[in-house]
């Protein structure tokens, strides 16, 4: 679909990337290239993009106010000589268009399930964040984060593992976020009453 759109825009003399540049960012709730999982909510998060790169967010994620997802590099890193994005800021002739289309940059963001992202967090392109992660307010995430860690800082670093590797593996096998809304409601009290060992004992066999 994207290729077809580019083709018709080119026939009309419209540069697809110049159109995207004028938009710069959209609210997460309005971004057509973002996939947001069931029950995930945000309080005005922004998606910054200059391409159609995907932002994929899992289920039951909590995204605070003014979180910024930067889903691609905006062509800043495509030259070894300069960081200036000529391709994105000047009229692109056929030669540069070919270079742009065949040169890779960091693009896309993947967020797991049950992730809590604090206020004013910035997540950079190419990052994958695992299930059950908590990211402290004001952090800048530049690298992948594994399942069930707490990360904070600029750049964000892991400051705590929530559980042992064995428990993380079992929780990912249980994958409560895939239970379905009716089952989650029926078992909701267990999220608060049970501790981790009891939760695992009750649900690991049933998962």
């Amino acid at each position: 679909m994207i290729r077809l759109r580019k083709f018709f825009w080119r026939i009309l003399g419209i540069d697809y990337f110049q159109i995207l540049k004028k938009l710069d960012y959209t609210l997460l709730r309005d971004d057509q290239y973002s996939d947001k999982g069931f029950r995930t909510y945000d309080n005005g998060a922004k998606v910054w993009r200059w391409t159609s790169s995907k932002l994929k967010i899992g289920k039951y994620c909590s995204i605070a106010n003014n979180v910024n997802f930067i889903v691609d590099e905006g062509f800043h890193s495509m030259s070894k000589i300069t960081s200036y994005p000529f391709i994105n800021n000047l009229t692109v002739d056929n030669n540069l268009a070919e270079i742009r289309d065949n040169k890779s940059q960091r693009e896309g963001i993947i967020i797991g399930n049950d992730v809590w992202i604090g206020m004013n967090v910035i997540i950079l392109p190419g990052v994958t964040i695992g299930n059950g992660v908590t990211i402290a307010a004001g952090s800048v995430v530049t690298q992948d984060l594994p399942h069930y860690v707490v990360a904070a800082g600029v750049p964000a670093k892991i400051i705590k593992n929530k559980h042992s590797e064995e428990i993380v593996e079992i929780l990912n096998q249980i994958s409560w976020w895939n239970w379905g809304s009716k089952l989650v409601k029926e078992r909701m009290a267990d999220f608060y009453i049970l501790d981790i060992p009891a939760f695992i004992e009750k649900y690991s066999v049933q998962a």
Side-chain angles (χ1 to χ4, degrees):
M1 186 65 181
I2 299 299
R3 289 184 179 178
L4 189 61
R5 187 180 305 164
K6 289 181 186 178
F7 173 74
F8 283 116
W9 284 8
R10 186 170 295 176
I11 290 175
L12 295 172
I14 301 172
D15 191 309
Y16 174 78
F17 289 92
Q18 290 297 317
I19 294 295
L20 283 176
K21 187 189 76 170
K22 288 177 174 62
L23 300 177
D24 280 349
Y25 81 85
T26 58
L27 293 176
L28 174 58
R29 65 176 66 99
D30 299 325
D31 186 56
Q32 63 178 314
Y33 303 112
S34 294
D35 294 328
K36 194 164 66 170
F38 183 71
R39 291 293 184 186
T40 287
Y41 71 90
D42 74 278
N43 292 318
K46 298 173 184 176
V47 181
W48 297 80
R49 65 168 64 260
W50 295 267
T51 69
S52 56
S53 305
K54 278 285 189 180
L55 166 59
K56 297 182 179 180
I57 305 174
K59 303 172 184 177
Y60 294 95
C61 292
S62 307
I63 303 171
N65 182 55
N66 201 39
V67 169
N68 289 269
F69 297 97
I70 304 175
V71 295
D72 62 73
E73 294 179 322
F75 307 105
H76 283 280
S77 66
M78 295 185 76
S79 169
K80 295 180 180 179
I81 300 168
T82 179
S83 62
Y84 188 82
F86 286 112
I87 286 175
N88 202 35
N89 284 276
L90 299 176
T91 301
V92 178
D93 61 25
N94 289 333
N95 183 44
L96 279 178
E98 186 177 349
I99 292 172
R100 177 190 61 201
D101 293 340
N102 291 292
K103 206 163 178 63
S104 62
Q105 61 173 350
R106 284 170 64 93
E107 295 181 350
I109 296 172
I110 300 173
I111 312 289
N113 305 284
D114 189 24
V115 174
W116 180 16
I117 304 176
M119 188 180 294
N120 299 320
V121 166
I122 298 173
I123 300 179
L124 296 186
V127 166
T128 296
I129 295 170
N131 297 322
V133 171
T134 297
I135 304 172
S139 300
V140 178
V141 183
T142 62
Q143 300 292 333
D144 294 352
L145 295 174
H147 302 300
Y148 288 97
V149 299
V150 178
V154 181
K157 298 185 182 302
I158 297 171
I159 61 173
K160 179 182 178 182
N161 292 302
K162 292 184 177 182
H163 310 294
S164 68
E165 290 184 12
E166 181 182 4
I167 289 176
V168 167
E169 184 176 349
I170 295 171
L171 289 174
N172 279 330
Q173 288 173 355
I174 293 173
S175 297
W176 65 262
W177 43 83
N178 291 327
W179 283 351
S181 57
K182 183 179 179 181
L183 206 54
V184 168
K185 287 179 181 178
E186 290 175 2
R187 299 173 174 180
M188 195 175 297
D190 287 344
F191 287 88
Y192 299 95
I193 296 172
L194 301 180
D195 59 13
I196 288 292
F199 187 86
I200 286 174
E201 183 178 358
K202 186 170 183 178
Y203 292 115
S204 60
V205 177
Q206 301 176 35

